[in-house]
Amino acid sequence: MSMSKKSHIKSKIGKPPGTLLYLGNKAIKDSKVTLTVYDEDIFEVHEINSFNNLKELLSKTKEESVKWINIIGVKDIEFLKLLGEHFKISNLILEDVLNSYQRPKIEINHDFLFVVTKRPYYNNDDYSIEHNSYIMNDRLLISIQDAENDFYKDITERIKNGLNVFRKMKTDYLLYVLLDLSVDNYLLVFEEFQEKSEALEEKLIYEPVKEDLSSIQELKKTVQAIRQSLWPTREILNSLVRRESNFISEGAVVYFRDTLDHQLQLNDTLEASREMVSSLMEIYLSSINNKMNEVMKVLTIIATIFIPLTFIAGLYGMNFEFMPELKWHWGYPLTLLVMFLITLILIIYFKKKDWM
């Protein structure tokens, strides 16, 4: 657990339930709010500069129109308070909205459907995760992104052009689109993860170094973080497919089932990624052992060559008085020649055995 997470949790301890306190690491100064109103006949997008501005615009919309309030950045706690009071959203729900460490989940009651998901992404080769929340009823959907940029900006264009399906559907279809986009984003993360793993695997086979161990640990942490955010998503989608909420129409079930199918495929990819990280550790240890074995082989060959040479040098280095070879005129060069021949014979032998 990081120090920032520990400090955030400590600041929350002792507070009464429903205390609105932002828990997260995103340095967002200002929240951005947009209101999108649409049905088969109308399509409007409004930039919201205050809560009163939002109330005024909502009062002018038709009751049967779908209203999508998209909030980018969750540090404007006062705006969320006013939003909760206006739509009668419990502070317990808003508390989870503000907690970026909240596990993905779904809550169902008579007034709202509440969903928490995570959107993983790579930011300059660093794995990051975004906390997203959705509060929905029959004609209203509030999406809150703990981010600086609007991940759903392309959805607005799809609504504008979606006369065939999008504009005829209710908020459950909009929820499907947002969830499906977040789930599909895992594919991009896994692609990036696989590229990093394959590059590291090639490096481990040919040039393993001590620093590679920390790279493997980073990949392992990434897989664990992905698993913590991906697995609970299955529970959310299963609940939506079973229509446990009255706000999910029968016509939208087929779309949520498609997203569930994507999620199940991602679970298989996740397991493959976990196995890949385990294999990277095995390759690293094997490569290091092979490298050590190569060093030991070289030292063994050198020692084997010098054993007979050391024996000869030691034999004629003894201080006995009667050693006739010491008196020979050609004794010294002959001894060197024998030592050279022994070395040459051993080298040829090792070459034939493919030990060198």
Side-chain angles (χ1 to χ4, degrees), residues 57-292:
L57 290 170
L58 288 172
S59 65
K60 296 177 182 178
T61 60
K62 294 190 294 183
E63 186 178 348
E64 61 272 18
S65 298
V66 174
K67 293 165 276 291
W68 175 25
I69 301 172
N70 186 29
I71 303 173
I72 304 102
V74 297
K75 283 198 170 181
D76 192 348
I77 297 176
E78 189 59 36
F79 185 89
L80 288 178
K81 281 182 180 178
L82 294 172
L83 199 68
E85 291 171 2
H86 182 77
F87 291 108
K88 297 180 173 56
I89 302 171
S90 168
N91 274 9
L92 293 174
I93 289 178
L94 296 179
E95 184 181 18
D96 290 338
V97 169
L98 290 165
N99 183 7
S100 64
Y101 306 114
Q102 173 63 48
R103 180 180 183 271
K105 67 171 187 176
I106 183 169
E107 287 186 17
I108 300 170
N109 56 48
H110 296 296
D111 300 318
F112 287 100
L113 172 67
F114 176 55
V115 177
V116 175
T117 63
K118 304 291 183 180
R119 184 183 73 86
Y121 62 96
Y122 273 100
N123 182 20
N124 298 326
D125 289 336
D126 293 327
Y127 176 78
S128 300
I129 196 160
E130 180 183 294
H131 177 71
N132 294 327
S133 306
Y134 312 94
I135 304 170
M136 188 193 89
N137 63 18
D138 193 43
R139 289 294 176 180
L140 172 71
L141 189 142
I142 304 171
S143 61
I144 305 104
Q145 306 173 61
D146 186 18
E148 297 180 17
N149 301 312
D150 186 7
F151 178 63
Y152 302 135
K153 58 184 178 182
D154 295 333
I155 302 298
T156 306
E157 194 65 25
R158 287 179 59 183
I159 297 173
K160 182 179 179 181
N161 300 323
L163 293 174
N164 293 332
V165 178
F166 220 134
R167 300 263 288 273
K168 295 178 181 179
M169 302 294 280
K170 296 183 180 180
T171 49
D172 52 0
Y173 184 81
L174 176 59
L175 178 65
Y176 148 73
V177 171
L178 300 182
L179 291 179
D180 189 63
L181 189 61
S182 295
V183 169
D184 286 348
N185 201 66
Y186 280 92
L187 291 171
L188 300 177
V189 170
F190 279 125
E191 285 292 327
E192 182 79 15
F193 181 87
Q194 188 172 358
E195 289 178 7
K196 288 176 176 287
S197 300
E198 289 175 353
L200 182 57
E201 182 180 29
E202 187 174 349
K203 185 175 184 296
L204 290 175
I205 292 173
Y206 298 106
E207 297 177 0
V209 293
K210 193 175 182 180
E211 289 74 17
D212 291 332
L213 191 59
S214 61
S215 298
I216 295 173
Q217 287 299 111
E218 281 299 317
L219 290 176
K220 185 177 179 181
K221 289 179 181 178
T222 300
V223 169
Q224 289 174 341
I226 293 174
R227 188 176 188 276
Q228 289 174 356
S229 61
L230 180 61
W231 270 90
T233 309
R234 181 179 179 179
E235 302 170 13
I236 296 170
L237 293 170
N238 273 324
S239 177
L240 295 172
V241 168
R242 291 193 298 264
R243 295 184 64 200
E244 295 178 0
S245 169
N246 295 328
F247 301 121
I248 303 300
S249 64
E250 188 174 351
V253 170
V254 64
Y255 299 109
F256 287 114
R257 188 177 290 119
D258 180 65
T259 304
L260 177 60
D261 183 57
H262 294 173
Q263 198 275 344
L264 294 176
Q265 293 177 29
L266 289 170
N267 283 346
D268 294 337
T269 307
L270 173 63
E271 292 306 312
S273 300
R274 293 180 69 189
E275 291 175 6
M276 181 179 289
V277 172
S278 299
S279 69
L280 287 177
M281 181 61 76
E282 293 173 2
I283 292 172
Y284 171 77
L285 294 175
S286 177
S287 297
I288 292 297
N289 287 333
N290 289 339
K291 201 173 180 181
M292 182 63 69

Side-chain angles (χ1 to χ4, degrees), residues 297 301 305 346-348 350-351 353-356:
K297 185 174 77 171
I301 290 173
I305 292 173
L346 287 173
I347 290 174
I348 293 172
F350 292 146
K351 287 280 188 181
K353 290 289 185 179
D354 200 23
W355 292 349
M356 292 183 66

Side-chain angles (χ1 to χ4, degrees), residues 319-337:
N319 295 321
F320 290 111
E321 186 175 349
F322 300 103
M323 295 184 71
E325 296 95 331
L326 296 178
K327 304 297 183 180
W328 292 354
H329 180 73
W330 297 102
Y332 176 66
L334 183 61
T335 302
L336 290 180
L337 179 60

